[in-house]
């Protein structure tokens, strides 16, 4: 029977090799323990070897953590830089938008001022020159008629001409010193022989306050005739 048989069991080749390995390992252990002459230096060397075998594992772990920390810091720095760029870009856009808005506002103000200047210039450009009347009987009557038209005073060229020729023969400085008005101290004066109280009462704004002024005299007389007779055209004698 083989020496590797245990409890009546037959060992295979694998079992035999395994058992032989275990036995050899045990013998080696006994040799290192029991051999006289194995000194403390050998033990220290073994301990140092064991210690050296552990350290790389510890350094490896520290390096991994450091690299992870560095990666995190780098990511944070990249994120901060990206945020800074975004904020700078936003600030630049805001500044550009503000500058454009300022330019646009200035343009609008200039255009508004230009339009206002044009509006002011147009009336001056299209304004008709003041009408000029000749300084004679015809001019006086026509100027008086224009003023009468603006003040809704009725009367015609023929009606005015007919009456002033009868009253003064067309003399703007004529004065009556012999009738009842003259005897009362208020002589009739001017083209249409108006007394001072009547002239002042029926004076038309925009004309002279001089009773001998031809236009003022005609206009005031026609205003009085309109109030009393309806129009100077209805006057055919002393009035």
């Amino acid at each position: 029977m083989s020496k590797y048989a245990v409890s009546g069991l037959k060992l295979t080749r694998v079992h035999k090799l395994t058992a032989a390995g275990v036995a050899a390992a045990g013998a080696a252990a006994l040799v290192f323990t029991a051999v006289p002459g194995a000194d403390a230096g050998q033990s220290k060397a073994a301990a140092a070897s064991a210690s050296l075998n552990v350290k790389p594992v510890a350094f490896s772990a520290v390096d991994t953590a450091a690299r992870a920390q560095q990666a995190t810091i780098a990511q944070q720095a990249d994120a901060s830089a990206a945020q800074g760029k975004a904020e700078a870009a936003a600030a630049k856009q805001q500044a550009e938008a503000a500058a454009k808005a300022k330019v646009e506002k200035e343009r609008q103000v200039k255009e508004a001022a230009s339009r206002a200047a044009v509006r002011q210039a147009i009336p001056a450009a299209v304004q008709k020159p003041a009408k000029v009347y000749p300084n004679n009987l015809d001019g006086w009557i026509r100027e008086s008629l224009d003023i009468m038209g603006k003040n809704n005073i009725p009367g015609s060229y023929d009606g005015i001409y007919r009456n002033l020729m009868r009253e003064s023969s067309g003399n703007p400085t004529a004065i009556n010193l012999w009738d009842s008005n003259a005897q009362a101290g208020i002589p009739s004066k001017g083209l249409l022989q108006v007394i001072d109280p009547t002239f002042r009462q029926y004076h038309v704004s925009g004309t002279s306050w001089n009773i001998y002024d031809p236009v003022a005299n005609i206009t005031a007389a026609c205003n009085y005739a309109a109030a009393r007779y309806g129009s100077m055209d209805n006057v055919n004698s002393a009035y």
Side-chain angles (χ1 to χ4, degrees):
M1 183 176 181
S2 173
K3 63 181 180 179
Y4 297 108
V6 180
S7 301
L9 297 175
K10 187 179 288 186
L11 299 177
T12 65
R13 176 178 172 79
V14 175
H15 293 154
K16 291 176 181 180
L17 291 174
T18 302
V22 172
L30 289 175
V31 171
F32 281 111
T33 304
V35 173
D39 55 15
Q42 293 176 340
S43 298
K44 290 179 180 179
S49 177
S51 177
L52 289 173
N53 290 335
V54 174
K55 285 181 180 179
V57 176
F59 279 124
S60 178
V62 172
D63 290 345
T64 301
R67 284 194 296 271
Q69 185 177 7
Q70 290 176 356
T72 301
I73 293 173
Q75 291 176 354
Q76 292 176 347
D78 291 342
S80 178
Q83 182 178 0
K85 290 180 179 179
E87 291 177 352
K92 183 178 179 181
Q93 290 179 351
Q94 290 178 352
E96 290 176 350
K100 289 180 180 179
K102 182 179 179 181
V103 171
E104 178 63 17
K105 184 175 181 179
E106 291 176 350
R107 183 187 66 79
Q108 292 176 353
V109 170
K110 288 181 180 179
E111 287 185 354
S114 178
R115 288 193 296 269
V118 170
R119 286 195 296 268
Q120 292 176 356
I122 289 175
V126 300
Q127 184 177 6
K128 294 180 179 180
K131 190 174 181 179
V132 179
Y133 302 92
N135 187 26
N136 54 32
L137 186 59
D138 177 73
W140 301 333
I141 295 174
R142 294 188 184 282
E143 185 175 356
S144 295
L145 285 171
D146 286 344
I147 296 172
M148 290 165 57
K150 293 177 182 178
N151 290 274
N152 297 317
I153 300 172
S156 68
Y157 187 100
D158 291 339
I160 295 172
Y161 181 83
R162 173 168 46 80
N163 280 285
L164 68 81
M165 291 303 291
R166 184 188 67 249
E167 295 291 333
S168 66
S169 299
N171 179 9
T173 60
I175 182 172
N176 187 327
L177 299 176
W178 54 268
D179 65 2
S180 59
N181 288 328
Q183 294 175 5
I186 48 172
S188 301
K189 302 173 181 178
L191 286 173
L192 283 169
Q193 293 293 285
V194 184
I195 59 176
D196 288 325
T198 300
F199 177 79
R200 288 192 295 267
Q201 182 178 354
Y202 291 95
H203 174 266
V204 177
S205 178
T207 63
S208 172
W209 279 96
N210 180 1
I211 195 171
Y212 290 106
D213 179 86
V215 174
N217 188 280
I218 292 172
T219 309
C222 288
N223 193 23
Y224 163 73
R228 184 167 183 179
Y229 304 103
S231 171
M232 181 61 75
D233 294 345
N234 298 328
V235 178
N236 296 300
S237 62
Y239 60 107

